[in-house]
């Protein structure tokens, strides 16, 4: 008699942080599935739990530790990967003996590493290093190194084994990994490495694969999308790639996230604002608006520059969407700096703003700067700007009353008392972070992932309420 085959080992994947981490998790899931693991949603009863951590700011690191500890309650073996695991390595392993800590260089052999964990084979956690030293300083010299057989792992370059963990019609598509900027508050370049673009053909291939999985909206992500192509010798690469992505069969919308204001070239601005199938959506990393404080942050621009940039985009696409993040309490920030930020927010009329309080991050220039603010003062400034942002973004939503919007349908809200009501998001709304649009009067036969033209008739904070303009429905 043939002995029964051992059932596949099971693994649950928990993801924290940004859309870039979500892509990494799906690539890890693809490698694990190819290695014979069965992916499950619930950690309870799983053989292992893979926690993809975030290491960006103090609150994100706390969330990651909490997620690791929560995973251990399931009784499964816990493996920590991702930015926090890479950034702290052996230090994190010593602080959390409940988990095995793996770095980016383990990604290509993640199935083997999980086998090691489940069979009790000891693994030595890595000592953190500055990953920028793994590649040439000159961007144009990097491509040959990355494609070498023994090259260090660049997270986000293994899409051929990607396995979707989400089921919605929107999906993140990674353009690149790493960052060459030296913002005083940010440690990401040290543990993510230097900027490395993916070849355009590879990005297009993954877009086609995602479309075959039922995705109709692509969200292009990276640490800095405006740098795409510089290491390939062509800074206009994204301007050519966007129309090609929009033309992929099955894709109805492409949006670009993580743009740097100082690098947003006029040609790229025009392509985003005026190309059919590309959302006129500008996710711009302003961080502040005071020119003096921005220089301390090792950044460029200020209120007047940023307002001029926004106006150039609105001249091409009056209904364009704008989102940003701002940091309050950076060392040396004065009341005048905060007032300048308020002026920018009032005049900029942005659709969404993330407000964060400054926290010291190891290995950053800001750690050693004078002029540190008390935490109570930072918290007070965060509350002050958050209250202002909530008021301003609600007003911006009201500005859209009577506007025609293209809504990507995501969820049928119809009940027995009514039909044709769907949730979705318009072109100015990121699918994860910028509010939603509820559309009534959607024709029968609509499915998630369709675009529906609608007129905005009401608002609820930043959320829109709209009525479908029948028969303007696009598959």
């Amino acid at each position: 008699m043939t002995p029964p085959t051992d059932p596949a080992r099971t693994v649950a994947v928990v993801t924290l942080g940004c859309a870039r981490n979500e892509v990494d998790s799906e690539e890890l899931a693809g490698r694990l599935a190819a290695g014979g693991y069965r992916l499950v949603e619930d950690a309870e009863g799983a053989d292992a739990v893979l926690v993809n951590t975030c290491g960006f700011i103090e609150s994100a690191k706390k969330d990651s530790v909490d997620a690791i500890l929560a995973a251990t309650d399931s009784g499964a073996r816990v493996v920590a990967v991702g930015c926090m695991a890479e950034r702290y390595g052996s230090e994190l392993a010593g602080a959390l003996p409940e988990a095995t800590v793996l770095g980016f260089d383990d990604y290509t052999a993640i199935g083997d590493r999980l086998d090691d964990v489940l069979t009790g084979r000891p693994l030595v956690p890595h000592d953190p290093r500055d990953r920028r030293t793994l590649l040439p300083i000159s961007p144009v010299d990097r491509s040959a190194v990355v494609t070498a057989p023994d090259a260090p792992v660049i997270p986000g370059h293994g899409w051929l084994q990607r396995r979707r963990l989400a089921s919605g019609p929107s999906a993140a598509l990674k353009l690149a990994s790493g960052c060459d900027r030296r913002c005083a508050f940010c440690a990401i370049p040290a543990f993510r490495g230097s900027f490395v673009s993916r070849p355009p053909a590879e990005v297009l291939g993954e877009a086609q694969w995602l479309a075959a999985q039922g995705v109709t909206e692509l969200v292009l992500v990276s640490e800095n999308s405006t740098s795409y192509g510089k290491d390939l010798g062509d800074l206009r690469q994204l301007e050519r790639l966007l129309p090609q992505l929009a033309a992929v069969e099955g894709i109805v919308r492409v949006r670009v996230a993580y743009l740097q204001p100082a690098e947003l070239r006029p040609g790229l601005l025009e392509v985003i604002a005026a190309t059919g199938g590309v959302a006129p959506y500008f996710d711009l990393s302003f961080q502040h608006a005071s020119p003096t404080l921005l220089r301390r942050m090792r950044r460029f621009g200020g209120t007047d520059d940023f307002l001029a940039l926004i106006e150039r985009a609105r001249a091409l696409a009056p209904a364009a969407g704008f989102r940003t993040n701002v940091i309050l309490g950076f060392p040396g920030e004065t009341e005048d700096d905060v007032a300048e930020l308020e002026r920018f927010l009032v005049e900029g009329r942005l659709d969404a703003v993330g407000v964060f309080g400054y926290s010291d991050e190891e290995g950053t220039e800001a750690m050693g700067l004078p002029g540190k603010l008390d935490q109570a003062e930072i918290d007070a400034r965060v509350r002050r700007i958050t209250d202002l942002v909530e008021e301003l973004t609600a007003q911006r939503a009201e500005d859209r009353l009577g506007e025609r919007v293209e809504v990507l349908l995501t969820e049928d809200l119809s009940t027995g008392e009514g039909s044709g009501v769907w949730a979705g998001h318009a072109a100015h709304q990121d699918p994860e972070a910028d509010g939603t649009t509820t559309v009534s009067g959607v024709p029968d036969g609509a499915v998630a992932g369709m675009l529906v033209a609608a007129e905005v008739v009401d608002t609820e904070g930043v959320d829109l309420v709209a009525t479908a303009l029948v028969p303007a429905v696009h598959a």
Side-chain angles (χ1 to χ4, degrees), residues 20-21 23-32 50-53 79-86 101-114 126 131 152-158 161 174 177 191-192:
R20 301 182 296 272
N21 251 21
V23 176
D24 288 351
S25 285
E26 293 194 347
E27 291 169 351
L28 289 167
R31 292 186 176 107
L32 288 169
L50 195 74
V51 182
N52 191 354
T53 61
V79 175
V81 297
C83 291
M84 186 177 180
E86 174 65 32
V101 177
L102 301 179
F104 292 152
D105 290 333
D106 293 304
Y107 278 21
T108 54
I110 191 65
D112 292 338
R113 297 292 79 77
L114 213 55
H126 68 282
R131 294 190 68 86
V153 172
I154 306 298
H157 287 259
Q161 290 182 308
K174 189 176 286 190
S177 287
F191 58 84
R192 274 286 177 178

Side-chain angles (χ1 to χ4, degrees), residues 199-217:
E202 185 176 302
V203 177
L204 278 168
E206 185 170 359
Q208 293 162 354
W209 178 84
L210 286 168
Q213 305 298 308
V215 170
T216 62
E217 179 182 49

Side-chain angles (χ1 to χ4, degrees), residues 298-368:
R298 302 299 183 200
R299 296 180 64 83
F300 304 93
T303 296
D304 294 337
D305 299 308
F306 297 161
L307 292 176
L309 177 63
I310 291 170
E311 287 310 306
R312 286 199 298 273
R314 285 186 171 138
L316 294 167
F322 295 86
R323 86 164 335 269
T324 196
N325 295 316
V326 296
I327 298 172
L328 276 300
F330 187 82
E333 184 186 59
T334 65
E335 274 294 326
D336 287 344
D337 294 327
V338 179
E340 184 69 6
L341 175 60
E342 289 175 324
R343 180 171 82 89
F344 167 66
L345 293 171
V346 169
E347 296 184 26
R349 297 167 48 240
L350 308 179
D351 295 276
V353 182
V355 183
F356 298 91
Y358 170 81
S359 62
D360 279 337
E361 294 297 321
E362 300 95 330
T364 64
E365 180 185 353
M367 278 273 300

Side-chain angles (χ1 to χ4, degrees), residues 132-425:
R132 290 171 295 189
T133 63
L134 302 179
L135 293 170
I137 293 175
S138 172
V140 293
D141 292 334
R142 292 175 189 161
S143 294
V145 176
V146 172
T147 56
D150 58 348
V153 172
I154 306 298
H157 287 259
W159 73 270
L160 283 170
Q161 290 182 308
R162 183 173 176 177
R163 173 80 167 264
R164 287 208 75 202
L165 298 174
S167 58
S170 300
L173 174 55
K174 189 176 286 190
L175 285 172
S177 287
C179 184
D180 289 336
R181 299 183 69 86
R182 295 297 182 267
C183 301
F185 53 82
C186 184
I188 287 176
F191 58 84
R192 274 286 177 178
S194 298
F195 187 88
V196 178
S197 301
R198 297 175 64 193
E202 185 176 302
V203 177
L204 278 168
E206 185 170 359
Q208 293 162 354
W209 178 84
L210 286 168
Q213 305 298 308
V215 170
T216 62
E217 179 182 49
L218 302 174
V219 183
L220 306 183
V221 300
S222 70
E223 276 73 26
N224 176 9
S225 297
T226 33
S227 279
Y228 181 73
K230 71 177 185 180
D231 51 321
L232 304 176
D234 185 0
L235 263 176
R236 299 191 63 184
Q237 191 70 253
L238 185 56
E239 295 159 43
R240 282 189 282 274
L241 181 59
L242 282 171
Q244 296 177 62
L245 290 169
V248 170
E249 185 176 357
I251 298 300
V252 298
R253 177 187 288 160
V254 179
R255 71 173 68 238
V256 188
Y258 306 107
L259 300 167
Q260 288 291 339
E263 298 181 36
L264 185 55
R265 302 169 300 282
L268 180 57
L269 185 150
E270 292 169 9
V271 168
I272 294 174
T275 301
V278 176
Y281 172 81
F282 294 88
D283 175 14
L284 292 158
S285 179
F286 291 125
Q287 302 300 351
H288 211 281
S290 163
T292 302
L293 193 70
L294 284 166
R295 299 306 173 273
R296 286 175 66 86
M297 291 179 166
R298 302 299 183 200
R299 296 180 64 83
F300 304 93
T303 296
D304 294 337
D305 299 308
F306 297 161
L307 292 176
L309 177 63
I310 291 170
E311 287 310 306
R312 286 199 298 273
R314 285 186 171 138
L316 294 167
F322 295 86
R323 86 164 335 269
T324 196
N325 295 316
V326 296
I327 298 172
L328 276 300
F330 187 82
E333 184 186 59
T334 65
E335 274 294 326
D336 287 344
D337 294 327
V338 179
E340 184 69 6
L341 175 60
E342 289 175 324
R343 180 171 82 89
F344 167 66
L345 293 171
V346 169
E347 296 184 26
R349 297 167 48 240
L350 308 179
D351 295 276
V353 182
V355 183
F356 298 91
Y358 170 81
S359 62
D360 279 337
E361 294 297 321
E362 300 95 330
T364 64
E365 180 185 353
M367 278 273 300
L369 289 178
K372 296 289 177 65
L373 278 68
D374 292 338
Q375 190 60 50
E377 179 60 27
I378 294 174
D379 293 342
R381 293 183 181 187
V382 167
R383 288 193 298 270
R384 168 179 163 186
I385 298 300
T386 297
D387 290 344
L388 175 64
V389 161
E390 288 179 355
E391 178 183 353
L392 293 174
T393 53
Q395 290 174 3
R396 177 62 184 138
E398 291 177 0
D399 290 344
R400 295 187 182 276
L401 288 170
E403 189 173 287
R404 184 186 189 274
V405 292
E406 297 278 339
V407 182
L408 188 86
L409 303 181
T410 56
E411 182 183 1
D412 188 353
L413 303 178
S414 302
T415 65
E417 300 177 357
S419 60
V421 180
W422 281 77
H425 52 272

